[in-house]
Amino acid sequence: MVTIVIGAQWGDEGKGKIVDFFAKQADYVVRFNGGNNAGHTIINKYGKFANHLVPAGIFHKKAVSLITNGVVVDPEVLILEIETIKKAGIDLNNRLFLSPRCHLILPYHKALDALYEQAKGKGKTGTTGRGIGPAYADKVSYNGIRIADLLDDKIFAEKLKFQLDLKNKIIQALGGKPLFYNQIYKEYLDLGKRLKPYARETFTILNEAMDKKKNIIFEGAQGVFLDNDWGTYPFVSASSVVSGNATAGAGIPPQKIGRIVGVAKAYATRVGEGPFPTELFDKDGEKLRKEGKEFGTTTGRPRRCGWFDSELIRFAARLNGFTEIILTKLDILDGFAKIKICTGYRLNGKSVNYVDGDSLFLAKIKPVYQEIKGWKMTTAGIKRFADLPKQAKDYIKTIEELVGVRISYISNGAKSHEIVKV
Ligand code: GDP
Ligand code: IMO
Ligand code: MG
C-alpha cells in the first residue's frame, strides 16, 4: 500500500508527527520534494527532533528511509542531521538511502537566495534562506550539480568550477562577495565522501518494495498553498508539493497510490509573505500563536495565525485527491469561547473561489465566516472520539461537511501517541 501524506495549508501542519505515527506500520518512508526548508517536528521515546531532510520514519526500526530524486540536498545539513539521529541511539546502517539524482544545494545557492530577497525589498518572498529556489532553478535550467557528480572528484571539480564562475558574476552584480572555489571544493568533496555510504538508486528499492506489496509512506514537505503551480505564486516554494508529484519526485506510477492523507491544522498558519485571507491581527491571533507555540521549526520566525479556511482545504482536497483528512492541533482551540470557520469567499458581492485568481485577487477577497461555540475544556489526554466534548465533535463534523472529505483522526498533542481515531 502506498500512502501519501500532504500538508493541506501553508506547511507546518504537523506532518512530521503524523508520519512518525504512521511509520510504526511502515516498511519505507520517503521524502520526495523540497529540501531543508522543511522542518518536521517529531516527539517520541527517543526525544524531540526537527528533521529537515531525513524522513520522519527513521525512528522505527523496521522502516527504511529514502530521500528520492525530487529532493534538493544540502550535504552539510544532511550530515549534521545524520549525526544528531545517530547520537540518539538510532542505527542508520542500511536504513537510509539517498538518490544519486538529488540536486545539491551549494553555498552560492544560499548566497543568491539572500541577494534576491534583499533586491526585492518589500516585495520579498520571505524564504527560509536555505537556497531552495536557486537550487531548483539550476535544476530546471540544466545548471544543477547532483549527488552522483559530488561522488566523482573530477566531474565535481569541473562542474563546480564552471558554475561558480557563472554564479560569482551574478553574486557580484547584485552587490555580494565572490565565493572561493578551493574552499568549497575541499569542504564538499569531504561531505560527499561521508554521504557515499547512503547513496543508492532509490527507484530500484521502491519498485522492488511495491512488487512485494510493502507498506510505503510518502512524507510531503511544505503545504499545498506553497506549491509552485497551485500555491499563492510568487509567495510559494520552488518544488511541486502536490500528491501527484510523488510520481515524478520518487519514480512511481500514479496507479500505485492507494491512500492520500491531507494534514490540516484545526486553524491556519503561514510563515513568510503572501496573502492569507483568514489571518487574525487581534487577541485571538495572538492566543493561537502563544498556545500553539507558532514559531518556525526551521527559522524560528513567528508564524502568522488565523481561522480554519475550508475554501482552501476544499480546493486542496480536489487537487490532491485526499481520501481522508487528519486534523491536528485541535487542543490549541480548547480555551476559545468562540471559534470561526471560513466557509467561502466573496468579492464585490459575488461568491468566488480560490482558483478564480492569483495572489493579488486573494488579497482582495472577503472571507465569509460561520461561528461556532467553543468547548472550553481540555482535550489533551483524550484517547477516544466518544470522550471529546460535544462542541469539538460539532467542529469536526462542520469541517467534514464543508470540505466534503472524511476526517480520519484528530491530533490533540505534540507527542506521536496523542492522536484520536474519529
Ligand atoms: P510539519 O512541518 O508539518 O511537520 O509541522 P512542524 O513540526 O513544523 O510544526 C508543527 C508543530 O506543532 C510542532 O511544534 C509539533 O510538535 C506541534 N504539533 C503537532 N501536532 C500537534 C497537536 O495535535 N497538538 C499540539 N499542541 N501540537 C502539535
Ligand atoms: P514544512 O515541510 C512552512 C515557506 C517559506 C516562504 C516560502 C518560500 O516544515 O511544512 P523557500 O525557503 O522554500 O524558498 O521559502 O515557503 N516554506 C515553508 N513554510 N513550512 C515549510 O515546510 C516551508 N517550506 C517553505 O516560509 O514563505
Ligand atoms: Mg514544519
Side-chain angles (χ1 to χ4, degrees), residues 10-13 15 37-40 113 125-133 220-223 226 235-238 270-273 297-298 301 303:
W10 280 289
D12 305 330
E13 298 89 350
K15 299 175 292 294
N37 47 350
H40 295 180
D113 193 348
T125 307
T127 71
T128 59
R130 301 304 191 257
I132 304 293
Q222 289 76 56
L226 291 171
F235 305 102
V236 292
S237 190
R270 169 164 210 169
V271 243
E273 309 303 317
T297 309
T298 299
R301 289 178 292 176
R303 294 180 184 141

Side-chain angles (χ1 to χ4, degrees), residues 7 11-19 37-43 48-51 56 219-222 263 265 267 269 291-298 303 327-332 410-415 418-419:
D12 305 330
E13 298 89 350
K15 299 175 292 294
K17 173 200 157 144
I18 299 302
V19 171
N37 47 350
H40 295 180
T41 313
I42 299 127
I43 308 174
K48 180 174 178 178
F49 302 87
N51 284 20
E219 176 180 350
Q222 289 76 56
V263 182
K265 260 180 212 179
Y267 47 98
T269 64
E291 306 279 331
K293 301 193 182 76
E294 295 296 355
F295 295 89
T297 309
T298 299
R303 294 180 184 141
L327 200 65
T328 58
K329 303 191 93 160
L330 188 74
D331 53 304
I332 303 308
I410 63 101
S411 169
N412 58 341
K415 298 193 183 94
E418 291 174 306
I419 191 159

Side-chain angles (χ1 to χ4, degrees), residues 331 333-336 374-380 382 387-390:
D331 53 304
L333 297 177
D334 284 354
F336 284 82
W375 41 93
K376 293 285 267 175
M377 64 172 270
T378 176
T379 57
I382 290 180
D387 298 335
L388 285 175
K390 183 187 172 299

